[in-house]
Structure formats: structure tokens, C-alpha cells
């Protein structure tokens, strides 16, 4: 029987960037946008607040974009301060690279295992799906999902009791599957 687990975001991640005012490196995104028009050109920013001093920083979303090249529904979502749009944009590697920021997902996700019926049986097949590109260690997910310690999961991998076509060491942010043999 195949069990499906889902890694789901619970809130927006912390944006890692140095604050020019206080030197802190943690900013919170609340889904607010600022859009500025220069005749037929648009600038748009995602606003983030410093966790220490509350200073506002801007992450560039659009820079001198022609009004006609911007989809109207995107512009409407920015004007409405859509938090889902903020989450989508923070997932964009181009936006993170352009603004020189990183994301900290600690405490911003949860694992939905679909109940405790997966603990019974000799062999358990599990498919893990990510609702967002959240970098998580598979060992941590497996330990949390089965109620084991990370050391026990590492031991199972070493002994061959836990197998996967994907690499289980390091971080993954994409879907993977594994099999636990008892």
C-alpha cells in the first residue's frame, strides 16, 4: 500500500538579508506590495520588515517594465496585496538572486502524513510530495513521519532497511519516494 505524505507551508518563510539600520539578518514578508508608475513604465516591490527594528526593505519584482507587458491579473494581485502572490514570488530563484536574499523555512512548514495507519505492516511505501519548494532533509521528514529519532533513521539507511531511488542524505525540495522494510 502506497502512503502519501505532503510537506506543506504554514506561513511565509523568513527572508535572510542584512538590515541597513540595525544589522539584523532576518526580515518577515507580510504580503504587502508597492507599485509605482513612471508614465508607461512600472516598478513593483515586495515589502519586507526587519524582525529587530521594523525597518522596511524592498525586494524588486518589476523594474521599469512596460505597462502593456505586465499581465493585468498580476497587477491586480499586487494592488490587492495578495499573500499567495508573495509566497509564489519568494519561491522564484530569479527574484531571490536579483535581490541577493535567501529563505529560512524553519518553523514555516508541516508534514501531513494522512494518519497513523502507515505504521503497520512489514513493508511501507511512502511517496512524499512538496506543496512548495521547501528544502528539508529527508532523514528529518522520515523521523518525524514515523516517530523515530534521526539516528534510528540513519541506522536504517546504513543497514538497507530504508531504500529510495533518491538521495536521502542532504536536502531535497522536490518529490521523492522511499520504502521502509521492517
Amino acid at each position: 500500500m502506497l502512503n502519501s505524505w505532503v510537506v506543506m507551508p504554514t506561513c511565509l518563510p523568513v527572508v535572510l538579508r542584512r538590515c541597513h539600520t540595525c544589522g539584523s539578518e532576518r526580515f518577515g514578508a507580510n504580503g504587502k506590495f508597492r507599485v509605482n508608475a513612471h508614465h508607461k513604465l512600472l516598478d513593483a516591490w515586495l515589502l519586507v520588515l526587519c524582525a529587530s527594528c521594523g525597518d522596511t526593505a524592498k525586494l524588486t519584482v518589476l523594474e521599469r517594465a512596460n505597462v502593456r507587458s505586465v499581465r493585468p491579473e498580476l497587477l491586480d494581485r499586487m494592488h490587492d496585496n495578495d499573500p499567495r502572490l508573495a509566497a509564489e514570488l519568494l519561491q522564484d530563484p530569479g527574484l531571490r538572486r536579483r535581490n541577493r536574499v535567501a529563505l529560512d523555512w524553519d518553523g514555516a512548514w508541516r508534514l501531513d502524513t494522512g494518519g497513523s495507519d502507515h505504521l503497520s505492516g512489514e513493508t511501507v511505501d511512502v511517496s512524499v510530495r512538496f506543496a512548495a519548494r521547501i528544502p528539508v532533509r529527508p532523514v528529518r521528514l522520515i523521523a518525524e513521519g514515523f516517530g523515530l529519532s534521526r539516528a534510528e533513521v540513519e541506522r536504517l539507511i546504513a543497514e538497507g532497511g530504508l531504500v529510495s531511488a533518491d538521495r536521502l542524505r542532504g536536502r531535497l525540495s522536490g518529490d521523492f519516494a522511499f520504502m521502509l522494510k521492517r
Side-chain angles (χ1 to χ4, degrees), residues 9 11-12 15 22-24 26 60 72 90-91 107 112 120 123 127 137 144 147 154 164-165 177 180:
C11 60
L12 291 174
V15 176
C22 71
S24 172
R26 300 179 71 74
T60 302
L90 285 174
Q91 293 287 314
D112 182 16
S120 61
T123 305
S127 170
R137 296 184 187 280
E144 186 175 320
E154 291 284 354
S164 174
L180 176 66

Side-chain angles (χ1 to χ4, degrees), residues 17-27 50-53 55:
R17 171 189 172 155
R18 188 154 184 82
C19 178
H20 297 292
T21 304
C22 71
S24 172
E25 295 190 1
R26 300 179 71 74
F27 283 80
C50 177
S52 295
C53 67
D55 192 37

Side-chain angles (χ1 to χ4, degrees), residues 162-173:
L162 188 60
V163 294
S164 174
D166 298 293
R167 184 177 53 97
L168 294 178
R169 297 208 186 341
R171 292 183 185 264
L172 290 176
S173 58

Side-chain angles (χ1 to χ4, degrees), residues 13 22 45 57 106:
C22 71
W45 301 276
D106 286 346

Side-chain angles (χ1 to χ4, degrees), residues 11-20 22-33 45-61 83 85-93 95-108:
C11 60
L12 291 174
V14 172
V15 176
L16 299 176
R17 171 189 172 155
R18 188 154 184 82
C19 178
H20 297 292
C22 71
S24 172
E25 295 190 1
R26 300 179 71 74
F27 283 80
N30 57 3
K32 302 280 187 207
F33 291 89
W45 301 276
L46 173 62
L47 303 178
V48 292
L49 300 174
C50 177
S52 295
C53 67
D55 192 37
T56 302
K58 299 184 288 187
L59 303 181
T60 302
V61 177
L85 177 61
E88 291 170 20
L89 290 172
L90 285 174
Q91 293 287 314
D92 181 21
L95 180 121
R96 292 195 314 259
R97 188 174 34 259
R98 183 177 339 123
N99 290 285
R100 289 184 231 121
V101 298
L103 301 179
D104 181 8
W105 282 96
D106 286 346

Side-chain angles (χ1 to χ4, degrees), residues 1-8 110-119 126-128 141-147 178:
M1 181 172 142
L2 181 67
N3 293 289
S4 295
W5 293 0
V6 181
V7 178
M8 304 175 63
R110 69 180 174 85
L111 177 65
D112 182 16
T113 60
S116 61
D117 61 339
H118 60 271
L119 296 175
V126 178
S127 170
V128 181
L141 288 177
I142 295 166
E144 186 175 320
F146 285 110
F178 65 91

